[in-house]
């Protein structure tokens, strides 16, 4: 598309000069259109006057990249230049994950939310904390042995402070 002066104009949202830019734009729009309440709340199930609605957390991660390059390829003096340049490329990827977080129970009398406990996250948080503490204690002990740290005395004071003993 050109303007009145003969200059090429670019439509909003378009990536100039890339063959796959329309496909990427369409893909992004398609993914964005799916981000609605139906992705988070499952199909309600009703039985005996009680309706159960599953709820989940949905995470979408996407990345796209494009590249291009033009110009002659550098060559040594005296060599013939057969390469006039060129280039281009692109790629992308996406990942989606969903994990249940609750079940909503609705009846004529009340509404309850039963949260789903993710034991894996609890265990991972515990392991990360344990690793941090082990590294921290090891650094204190090593610092004392090398003479450049507060060391075990500071650790003992900190533990006594936590448990309230003197």
């Amino acid at each position: 598309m050109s303007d009145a002066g003969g200059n090429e104009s670019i439509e909003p949202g378009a990536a100039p000069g890339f063959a796959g830019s329309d496909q990427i734009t369409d893909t992004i729009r398609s993914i964005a259109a799916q981000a609605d309440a139906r992705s988070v709340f499952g199909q309600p199930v009703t039985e005996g006057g009680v309706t159960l609605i599953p709820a989940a957390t949905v995470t979408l991660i996407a990345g796209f990249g494009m590249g291009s390059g033009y110009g002659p390829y550098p060559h040594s003096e005296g060599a013939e230049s057969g390469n006039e340049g060129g280039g281009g490329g692109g790629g992308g990827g996406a990942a989606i994950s969903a994990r249940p977080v609750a079940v909503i129970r609705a009846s004529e009398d009340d509404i309850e939310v039963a949260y789903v406990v993710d034991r894996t996250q609890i265990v991972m948080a515990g392991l990360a904390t344990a690793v941090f503490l082990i590294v921290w204690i090891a650094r204190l002990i090593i610092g004392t042995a090398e003479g450049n740290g507060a060391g075990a005395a500071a650790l003992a004071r900190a533990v006594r402070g936590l448990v309230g003993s003197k």
Side-chain angles (χ1 to χ4, degrees):
M1 176 190 307
S2 297
D3 63 13
N7 299 317
E8 188 165 326
S9 61
I10 300 169
E11 291 182 35
F18 298 111
S21 64
D22 291 338
Q23 291 173 335
I24 291 175
T25 302
D26 291 344
T27 301
I28 291 171
R29 285 190 180 131
S30 172
I31 291 170
Q34 295 177 27
D36 63 7
R38 289 175 293 182
S39 300
V40 176
F41 295 102
Q43 186 69 32
V45 176
T46 303
E47 188 171 320
V50 176
T51 301
L52 299 176
I53 305 167
T57 180
V58 179
T59 305
L60 171 68
I61 300 170
F64 298 93
M66 303 293 280
S68 185
Y70 293 95
Y73 185 81
H75 59 279
S76 58
E77 262 184 62
E80 253 184 64
S81 174
N83 185 345
E84 295 300 319
I96 189 167
S97 70
R99 127 185 123 71
V101 293
V103 174
I104 302 166
R105 182 186 176 274
S107 66
E108 280 188 28
D109 300 330
D110 67 348
I111 296 175
E112 293 178 30
V113 177
Y115 294 98
V116 175
V117 177
D118 188 349
R119 290 186 180 100
T120 302
Q121 280 191 327
I122 295 170
V123 169
M124 294 305 289
L127 287 174
T129 303
V131 168
F132 171 79
L133 289 173
I134 290 168
V135 169
W136 184 68
I137 292 168
R139 289 188 63 186
L140 281 174
I141 293 169
I142 291 170
T144 300
E146 293 177 355
N148 59 358
L155 175 61
R157 282 192 305 273
V159 171
R160 279 194 299 273
L162 288 174
V163 296
S165 64
K166 296 188 182 204

